[in-house]
Amino acid sequence: MHPADKYLPFIWSCFFYILFCNLLGAVPALGSATGNINVTGALALTALLASFGYGVQAMGVGGFFANLIPNTGMTGAGAIAMSCLMFPIELLGFLIKHTILALRLFGNIMGGHTALGVMLAFIGQAAKGNLALWGVVTLGSVLGQIGVGILELLVAVLQAYVFSFLATIFISGAIHKH
């Protein structure tokens, strides 16, 4: 049995959940749950807990935390001092990586929605002017929304992949000595 077989159901669940939520945002009158920082934060928290859980399962609690200290090649008191300095930095890095996972997903999904909203606002602002200006802006905005909508479909799939890929890397780093 390959070590990835243990955590692959978690990764696939994340991928399909994120993909489904992202694609919901492409349907008019429905929203993308991943456009909410609370949802992406919860997803990142589950990825953090999965990394910690699978890491502890593979190496034990002491082994998991010992894995956070990189091998500096130093010996003696210097190695101990360096380990004491590196451990909080590496632990903070472990937490930051998962926080960035949430922010990356939220920012990319929210950015597309914001671009569409701004294009719609152009139509409303142009309606206050003359009819010719309104027609040109409306045509440009509709074409721009179609382009951004197609781009959002690509981003929906890509962001589900990126989140799953990074979660896999974080779990892999937690279960293997490095």
Side-chain angles (χ1 to χ4, degrees), residues 38-103:
N38 297 310
V39 173
T40 60
L43 284 166
L45 181 62
T46 59
L48 179 119
L49 293 174
S51 296
F52 178 74
Y54 291 123
V56 167
Q57 188 179 31
M59 296 190 289
V61 175
F64 174 79
F65 287 112
N67 193 31
L68 291 177
I69 303 169
N71 184 4
T72 59
M74 297 174 70
T75 59
I80 294 170
M82 188 60 76
S83 295
C84 290
L85 292 172
M86 292 297 292
F87 179 74
I89 294 169
E90 291 292 327
L91 183 60
L92 187 62
F94 180 74
L95 298 173
I96 289 172
K97 284 189 275 188
H98 289 85
T99 303
I100 296 302
L101 204 57
L103 295 175

Coordinates of all heavy atoms in Angstrom, one line a residue, residues 38-103:
N38 N -14.4 32.7 5.2 CA -14.7 31.8 6.3 C -14.6 30.3 5.8 O -14.2 29.4 6.4 CB -16.0 32.0 7.0 CG -16.0 33.4 7.7 OD1 -15.2 33.7 8.4 ND2 -17.1 34.2 7.4
V39 N -15.1 30.1 4.6 CA -15.1 28.8 3.9 C -13.7 28.4 3.6 O -13.3 27.3 3.9 CB -16.1 28.8 2.7 CG1 -15.9 27.5 1.9 CG2 -17.5 29.0 3.1
T40 N -13.0 29.3 3.0 CA -11.6 29.0 2.6 C -10.7 28.8 3.9 O -9.8 28.0 3.9 CB -11.0 30.0 1.7 OG1 -11.0 31.3 2.3 CG2 -11.7 30.1 0.4
G41 N -11.0 29.6 4.9 CA -10.3 29.4 6.2 C -10.6 28.0 6.8 O -9.7 27.3 7.3
A42 N -11.9 27.6 6.7 CA -12.2 26.2 7.2 C -11.5 25.1 6.4 O -11.1 24.1 7.0 CB -13.7 26.0 7.2
L43 N -11.5 25.3 5.1 CA -10.8 24.3 4.3 C -9.3 24.3 4.6 O -8.7 23.2 4.7 CB -11.0 24.7 2.8 CG -12.3 24.4 2.2 CD1 -12.5 25.1 0.8 CD2 -12.5 22.9 2.0
A44 N -8.7 25.4 4.8 CA -7.3 25.5 5.1 C -7.0 24.9 6.5 O -6.0 24.2 6.7 CB -6.7 26.9 5.1
L45 N -8.0 25.1 7.4 CA -7.8 24.5 8.8 C -7.9 23.0 8.7 O -7.2 22.3 9.4 CB -8.9 25.1 9.7 CG -8.9 24.6 11.1 CD1 -7.6 24.9 11.8 CD2 -10.1 25.1 11.9
T46 N -8.8 22.5 7.9 CA -8.9 21.0 7.7 C -7.6 20.5 7.1 O -7.1 19.4 7.5 CB -10.1 20.6 6.9 OG1 -10.0 21.1 5.6 CG2 -11.4 20.9 7.6
A47 N -7.0 21.2 6.1 CA -5.8 20.8 5.6 C -4.6 20.8 6.6 O -3.8 19.9 6.6 CB -5.4 21.7 4.4
L48 N -4.6 21.8 7.5 CA -3.7 21.9 8.6 C -3.8 20.7 9.5 O -2.9 20.1 9.9 CB -3.8 23.2 9.3 CG -2.8 23.4 10.5 CD1 -1.9 24.6 10.2 CD2 -3.6 23.5 11.8
L49 N -5.1 20.5 9.9 CA -5.3 19.3 10.8 C -5.0 18.0 10.1 O -4.5 17.1 10.8 CB -6.8 19.4 11.3 CG -7.2 20.5 12.2 CD1 -8.7 20.5 12.5 CD2 -6.3 20.5 13.4
A50 N -5.2 17.9 8.8 CA -4.9 16.7 8.1 C -3.4 16.5 8.1 O -2.9 15.4 8.3 CB -5.5 16.7 6.7
S51 N -2.7 17.6 7.8 CA -1.2 17.5 7.8 C -0.7 17.1 9.1 O 0.2 16.2 9.2 CB -0.6 18.9 7.4 OG -0.9 19.2 6.1
F52 N -1.2 17.7 10.2 CA -0.8 17.4 11.5 C -1.2 15.9 11.9 O -0.3 15.1 12.4 CB -1.4 18.3 12.5 CG -1.0 18.0 14.0 CD1 0.2 18.3 14.5 CD2 -2.0 17.4 14.8 CE1 0.6 17.9 15.8 CE2 -1.6 17.1 16.1 CZ -0.4 17.4 16.6
G53 N -2.4 15.5 11.6 CA -2.9 14.2 11.9 C -2.1 13.1 11.2 O -1.7 12.1 11.8
Y54 N -1.9 13.3 9.9 CA -1.2 12.2 9.1 C 0.3 12.2 9.5 O 0.9 11.2 9.5 CB -1.3 12.5 7.6 CG -2.7 12.2 7.1 CD1 -3.5 13.2 6.4 CD2 -3.3 10.9 7.3 CE1 -4.7 12.9 6.0 CE2 -4.6 10.7 6.8 CZ -5.3 11.7 6.2 OH -6.6 11.4 5.7
G55 N 0.8 13.4 9.8 CA 2.2 13.5 10.3 C 2.4 12.8 11.6 O 3.4 12.0 11.8
V56 N 1.5 13.0 12.5 CA 1.6 12.3 13.8 C 1.4 10.8 13.7 O 2.1 10.0 14.3 CB 0.6 12.9 14.8 CG1 0.4 12.1 16.1 CG2 1.0 14.3 15.2
Q57 N 0.5 10.4 12.8 CA 0.2 9.0 12.5 C 1.4 8.3 12.0 O 1.7 7.2 12.3 CB -1.0 8.9 11.6 CG -1.5 7.5 11.4 CD -2.7 7.5 10.4 OE1 -2.8 8.3 9.5 NE2 -3.6 6.5 10.7
A58 N 2.2 9.0 11.1 CA 3.3 8.4 10.5 C 4.6 8.4 11.4 O 5.4 7.5 11.4 CB 3.7 9.2 9.2
M59 N 4.8 9.5 12.2 CA 6.0 9.6 12.9 C 5.8 9.8 14.4 O 6.8 10.0 15.1 CB 6.8 10.8 12.4 CG 7.3 10.6 11.0 SD 8.4 11.8 10.4 CE 7.4 13.3 10.2
G60 N 4.6 9.9 14.9 CA 4.4 10.2 16.3 C 4.5 11.7 16.6 O 4.9 12.4 15.7
V61 N 4.0 12.1 17.7 CA 4.0 13.5 18.0 C 5.4 14.1 18.1 O 5.7 15.1 17.5 CB 3.2 13.8 19.4 CG1 3.3 15.2 19.8 CG2 1.8 13.3 19.3
G62 N 6.3 13.4 18.8 CA 7.7 13.9 18.9 C 8.3 13.9 17.5 O 9.1 14.9 17.2
G63 N 8.1 12.9 16.7 CA 8.7 12.8 15.4 C 8.2 13.9 14.5 O 8.9 14.5 13.7
F64 N 6.9 14.2 14.6 CA 6.3 15.3 13.8 C 7.0 16.6 14.1 O 7.4 17.4 13.2 CB 4.8 15.4 14.0 CG 4.1 16.6 13.3 CD1 3.8 16.5 12.0 CD2 3.9 17.8 14.0 CE1 3.3 17.6 11.3 CE2 3.3 18.8 13.4 CZ 3.0 18.8 12.1
F65 N 7.1 17.0 15.4 CA 7.7 18.2 15.7 C 9.2 18.2 15.5 O 9.7 19.3 15.2 CB 7.3 18.6 17.2 CG 5.9 19.0 17.4 CD1 5.0 18.2 18.1 CD2 5.4 20.2 16.8 CE1 3.7 18.6 18.2 CE2 4.1 20.6 16.9 CZ 3.2 19.8 17.6
A66 N 9.8 17.1 15.6 CA 11.3 17.0 15.3 C 11.5 17.2 13.8 O 12.5 17.8 13.4 CB 11.8 15.7 15.8
N67 N 10.5 16.8 13.0 CA 10.6 17.0 11.6 C 10.6 18.4 11.2 O 11.0 18.8 10.1 CB 9.5 16.2 10.9 CG 9.7 16.0 9.4 OD1 10.8 16.0 8.9 ND2 8.6 16.0 8.7
L68 N 10.1 19.3 12.0 CA 10.0 20.7 11.7 C 11.4 21.4 11.8 O 11.6 22.5 11.3 CB 9.0 21.4 12.6 CG 7.6 21.1 12.5 CD1 6.7 21.9 13.5 CD2 7.1 21.5 11.1
I69 N 12.3 20.7 12.5 CA 13.7 21.3 12.7 C 14.6 20.8 11.6 O 14.8 19.6 11.4 CB 14.3 20.9 14.1 CG1 13.3 21.4 15.2 CG2 15.7 21.5 14.2 CD1 13.7 20.8 16.5
P70 N 15.0 21.7 10.7 CA 15.9 21.2 9.6 C 17.2 20.7 10.0 O 17.7 21.2 11.1 CB 16.0 22.4 8.7 CG 15.7 23.6 9.6 CD 14.8 23.1 10.7
N71 N 17.8 19.8 9.3 CA 19.2 19.4 9.6 C 20.2 20.4 9.1 O 20.3 20.6 7.9 CB 19.4 18.0 8.9 CG 20.8 17.4 9.3 OD1 21.5 18.0 10.1 ND2 21.1 16.3 8.7
T72 N 20.9 21.1 10.0 CA 21.8 22.1 9.7 C 23.2 21.6 9.4 O 24.0 22.3 8.9 CB 21.9 23.2 10.8 OG1 22.3 22.6 12.0 CG2 20.5 23.8 11.0
G73 N 23.5 20.4 9.8 CA 24.8 19.8 9.7 C 25.7 20.2 10.8 O 26.9 19.9 10.8
M74 N 25.2 21.0 11.7 CA 26.1 21.5 12.9 C 26.1 20.4 13.9 O 25.2 19.5 14.0 CB 25.5 22.8 13.4 CG 25.5 23.9 12.4 SD 24.7 25.4 13.1 CE 25.9 25.9 14.3
T75 N 27.1 20.5 14.8 CA 27.2 19.5 16.0 C 27.3 20.3 17.2 O 27.7 21.5 17.2 CB 28.3 18.6 15.8 OG1 29.5 19.3 15.7 CG2 28.2 17.7 14.6
G76 N 27.1 19.6 18.4 CA 27.3 20.2 19.7 C 26.4 21.3 20.1 O 25.2 21.3 19.7
A77 N 26.9 22.3 20.8 CA 26.0 23.4 21.3 C 25.4 24.2 20.2 O 24.3 24.7 20.3 CB 26.8 24.2 22.3
G78 N 26.2 24.4 19.2 CA 25.7 25.2 18.0 C 24.4 24.5 17.4 O 23.5 25.2 17.0
A79 N 24.4 23.2 17.3 CA 23.3 22.5 16.8 C 22.1 22.7 17.6 O 20.9 22.9 17.2 CB 23.6 21.0 16.6
I80 N 22.3 22.6 19.0 CA 21.2 22.8 19.9 C 20.6 24.2 19.8 O 19.4 24.4 19.8 CB 21.6 22.4 21.3 CG1 21.9 20.9 21.4 CG2 20.5 22.8 22.3 CD1 22.6 20.5 22.7
A81 N 21.5 25.2 19.8 CA 21.1 26.6 19.7 C 20.4 26.9 18.4 O 19.3 27.5 18.4 CB 22.3 27.5 19.8
M82 N 20.9 26.3 17.3 CA 20.2 26.5 16.0 C 18.9 25.9 16.0 O 17.9 26.4 15.5 CB 21.1 26.0 14.9 CG 20.6 26.3 13.5 SD 20.5 28.1 13.2 CE 22.2 28.5 13.0
S83 N 18.7 24.7 16.6 CA 17.4 24.0 16.6 C 16.4 24.8 17.5 O 15.3 24.9 17.1 CB 17.6 22.6 17.2 OG 18.4 21.8 16.4
C84 N 16.9 25.4 18.6 CA 16.0 26.2 19.4 C 15.5 27.4 18.7 O 14.4 27.9 18.9 CB 16.7 26.6 20.7 SG 16.9 25.2 21.8
L85 N 16.4 28.0 17.8 CA 16.0 29.2 17.1 C 15.1 28.8 15.9 O 14.2 29.6 15.5 CB 17.3 29.9 16.6 CG 18.1 30.6 17.6 CD1 19.4 31.1 17.0 CD2 17.3 31.7 18.3
M86 N 15.4 27.7 15.2 CA 14.7 27.3 14.0 C 13.3 26.7 14.3 O 12.4 26.9 13.4 CB 15.5 26.3 13.2 CG 16.8 26.8 12.6 SD 16.5 28.1 11.4 CE 15.7 27.2 10.1
F87 N 13.1 26.1 15.4 CA 11.8 25.4 15.7 C 10.7 26.4 15.6 O 9.7 26.1 14.9 CB 11.9 24.6 17.0 CG 10.5 24.0 17.3 CD1 10.2 22.8 16.6 CD2 9.7 24.5 18.2 CE1 8.9 22.2 16.8 CE2 8.5 23.9 18.5 CZ 8.1 22.8 17.8
P88 N 10.7 27.5 16.3 CA 9.6 28.4 16.3 C 9.3 29.0 14.9 O 8.2 29.2 14.4 CB 9.9 29.5 17.3 CG 11.2 29.2 17.9 CD 11.7 28.0 17.3
I89 N 10.4 29.2 14.2 CA 10.3 29.8 12.8 C 9.6 28.7 11.9 O 8.7 29.1 11.1 CB 11.7 30.2 12.3 CG1 12.2 31.4 13.1 CG2 11.6 30.5 10.8 CD1 13.7 31.7 12.8
E90 N 10.1 27.5 12.0 CA 9.5 26.4 11.2 C 8.0 26.2 11.5 O 7.2 25.9 10.7 CB 10.3 25.2 11.3 CG 11.7 25.3 10.6 CD 11.6 25.4 9.1 OE1 10.7 24.8 8.5 OE2 12.5 26.1 8.5
L91 N 7.7 26.2 12.8 CA 6.3 26.0 13.3 C 5.5 27.1 12.8 O 4.3 26.9 12.3 CB 6.3 25.9 14.8 CG 4.9 25.6 15.4 CD1 4.4 24.3 14.9 CD2 5.0 25.7 16.9
L92 N 5.9 28.4 12.8 CA 5.2 29.5 12.3 C 5.0 29.4 10.8 O 4.0 29.7 10.2 CB 5.9 30.8 12.7 CG 5.2 32.1 12.3 CD1 3.9 32.2 13.1 CD2 6.1 33.3 12.6
G93 N 6.1 28.9 10.1 CA 6.0 28.7 8.7 C 5.0 27.6 8.3 O 4.2 27.8 7.3
F94 N 4.9 26.6 9.1 CA 3.8 25.5 8.9 C 2.4 26.1 9.0 O 1.6 25.8 8.2 CB 4.0 24.4 10.0 CG 3.1 23.3 9.9 CD1 3.2 22.4 8.9 CD2 2.1 23.2 10.8 CE1 2.3 21.3 8.8 CE2 1.1 22.1 10.7 CZ 1.3 21.2 9.7
L95 N 2.2 27.0 10.0 CA 0.9 27.7 10.1 C 0.7 28.7 9.0 O -0.5 28.8 8.5 CB 0.8 28.3 11.5 CG 0.9 27.4 12.7 CD1 1.0 28.2 14.0 CD2 -0.2 26.4 12.7
I96 N 1.7 29.4 8.6 CA 1.5 30.4 7.6 C 1.2 29.8 6.2 O 0.4 30.3 5.5 CB 2.8 31.3 7.5 CG1 2.8 32.2 8.7 CG2 2.8 32.2 6.2 CD1 4.1 33.0 8.9
K97 N 1.8 28.7 5.9 CA 1.6 28.0 4.7 C 0.1 27.7 4.5 O -0.5 27.8 3.4 CB 2.4 26.7 4.5 CG 3.9 26.9 4.2 CD 4.6 25.6 3.9 CE 5.0 25.0 5.2 NZ 5.9 23.8 4.9
H98 N -0.5 27.2 5.6 CA -1.9 26.8 5.5 C -2.8 28.1 5.5 O -3.9 28.1 4.9 CB -2.3 25.9 6.7 CG -1.7 24.5 6.5 ND1 -0.4 24.2 6.9 CD2 -2.2 23.4 5.9 CE1 -0.1 23.0 6.6 NE2 -1.2 22.5 6.0
T99 N -2.4 29.1 6.1 CA -3.1 30.4 6.1 C -3.1 30.9 4.7 O -4.2 31.4 4.1 CB -2.5 31.4 7.1 OG1 -2.5 30.9 8.4 CG2 -3.3 32.7 7.0
I100 N -2.0 30.9 4.0 CA -1.9 31.4 2.6 C -2.7 30.5 1.7 O -3.3 31.0 0.7 CB -0.4 31.4 2.2 CG1 0.4 32.4 3.0 CG2 -0.2 31.7 0.7 CD1 -0.1 33.8 3.0
L101 N -2.9 29.2 2.0 CA -3.7 28.4 1.2 C -5.2 28.9 1.2 O -5.8 29.0 0.1 CB -3.7 27.0 1.9 CG -4.1 25.8 1.1 CD1 -3.2 25.6 -0.1 CD2 -4.0 24.5 2.0
A102 N -5.7 29.4 2.3 CA -7.0 30.0 2.4 C -7.0 31.3 1.7 O -8.0 31.6 0.9 CB -7.4 30.2 3.9
L103 N -6.0 32.2 1.9 CA -6.1 33.5 1.2 C -5.9 33.4 -0.3 O -6.5 34.2 -1.0 CB -4.9 34.3 1.8 CG -5.1 34.7 3.3 CD1 -3.9 35.4 3.8 CD2 -6.4 35.5 3.6

